[in-house]
Amino acid sequence: MSEAKRLAGEKAIEYVEDGMIVGVGTGSTVAYFIDALAAIKDRIKGAVSSSDQSTARLKQHGIEVLDLNATGPLSLYVDGADECDPHKRLIKGGGAALTREKIIAEASRTFVCIVDPSKQVDVLGRFPLPIEVIPMARSLVAREVLAQTGGQPVWREGVVTDNGNLVLDIHNLSITDPKGMETALNQIPGVVSVGLFARRGADVVIVGGEPPRVL
Ligand code: 5RP
C-alpha cells in the first residue's frame, strides 16, 4: 500500500499555492506529502503541524512550523485517514493525533484527505473509533461509550497523546449516523475529541493509485 500512499501524497501537492501556510496532518501517507512539499518549500510561507512526529519531519526538511494562533485560518489542510465513506466522512486517530488534526481541519477552508484504496468503506466503523480522553476519565468514558453505542472500548495502553491524554479505541461499531454519534460522544465529560470527522469531513479525497482518483 505504500506506493498508493505515495501517489496520493504527491498528488496533493497540486492543491498547494504560492505563499500558502499549509496545514499538515499525521501518518505514513502524510509523510509522503511532507517529502513532496520539501521540493517546493521556497514557494510556501510554512506549515502548521498536527503532531510532534510531523513537526520533526517538516523541520528536517527545513520547512518552518508555525503556531496556529499566529497564523489564523488556513487555506489548505492535507491529512490522511483510517476510513473514508462515500460522503467524505472519516475515522481518524490511528496515529493518536486526532485532537490537533480536528483543530486544524476546523481552521482550514479546504481539507484534502489522502488515502490508499483500503481506507474506503461504505459504512464507517470497521476500524476501531479512537477517542482521546483525559486520564482520570478513562473508565467513566469507556462505560458511557459502551452504554451509548454498544461498541467495545479498548484502552490503547502505553500510548500518551501529544496533549498528555489517553486513547480509547471503540470496536464493533457500524456507524450509520456519524454526525449524531460524533455529537453525542463529544458530550461525555472527559472526552477531549472523537476521531469521527463527520461534522467537518473532507472536502476532497485523493485515493492513491495509477493514476490517483480525486473524489
Ligand atoms: C493519525 C491519523 C492518520 O491520518 C491515520 O491514522 C492514517 O494513517 P496512515 O496514513 O499512516 O495510514 O489519523 O492520527
Side-chain angles (χ1 to χ4, degrees):
M1 278 307 163
S2 66
E3 184 63 3
K5 290 182 180 197
R6 182 180 66 76
L7 291 164
E10 291 178 358
K11 178 75 177 171
I13 288 294
E14 293 177 15
Y15 292 81
V16 178
E17 293 173 10
D18 289 359
M20 268 185 174
I21 298 171
V22 183
V24 175
T26 298
S28 55
T29 317
V30 165
Y32 288 111
F33 173 71
I34 294 174
D35 294 350
L37 196 59
I40 58 161
K41 68 179 178 191
D42 295 336
R43 288 175 32 202
I44 62 169
K45 279 197 191 136
V48 172
S49 170
S50 62
S51 64
D52 294 349
Q53 182 192 107
S54 289
T55 297
R57 198 173 189 101
L58 287 159
K59 286 185 173 171
Q60 272 166 20
H61 283 303
I63 298 171
E64 190 177 359
V65 177
L66 303 163
D67 178 357
L68 183 65
N69 291 304
T71 64
L74 303 177
S75 303
L76 176 67
Y77 179 49
V78 178
D79 197 359
D82 300 298
E83 276 188 354
C84 173
D85 81 1
H87 303 281
K88 303 187 178 81
R89 301 174 298 201
L90 314 170
I91 285 183
K92 291 185 45 53
L98 59 159
T99 299
R100 295 186 189 187
E101 291 173 342
K102 216 166 211 190
I103 292 166
I104 304 177
E106 189 72 25
S108 300
R109 192 179 65 221
T110 304
F111 176 4
V112 174
C113 183
I114 49 179
V115 293
D116 65 69
S118 73
K119 307 293 182 64
Q120 292 185 286
V121 296
D122 289 329
V123 178
L124 299 172
R126 195 177 57 203
F127 188 92
L129 175 65
I131 301 182
E132 180 168 350
V133 298
I134 299 285
M136 75 171 285
R138 190 190 81 231
S139 300
L140 172 108
V141 172
R143 286 193 298 274
E144 194 58 34
V145 167
L146 175 64
Q148 279 193 28
T149 68
Q152 297 299 314
V154 176
W155 174 23
R156 205 185 294 178
E157 284 193 69
V159 170
V160 176
T161 70
D162 289 348
N163 312 305
N165 297 315
L166 306 179
V167 177
L168 293 173
D169 294 307
I170 317 306
H171 293 247
N172 303 328
L173 292 175
S174 176
I175 306 174
T176 50
D177 177 12
K179 274 189 193 171
M181 185 178 284
E182 182 179 1
T183 302
L185 295 178
N186 270 329
Q187 307 308 313
I188 303 171
V191 168
V192 177
S193 64
V194 179
L196 264 174
F197 285 55
R199 288 175 50 255
R200 202 282 182 256
D203 300 300
V204 175
V205 174
I206 300 175
V207 185
E210 199 71 90
R213 283 182 296 127
V214 179
L215 311 176

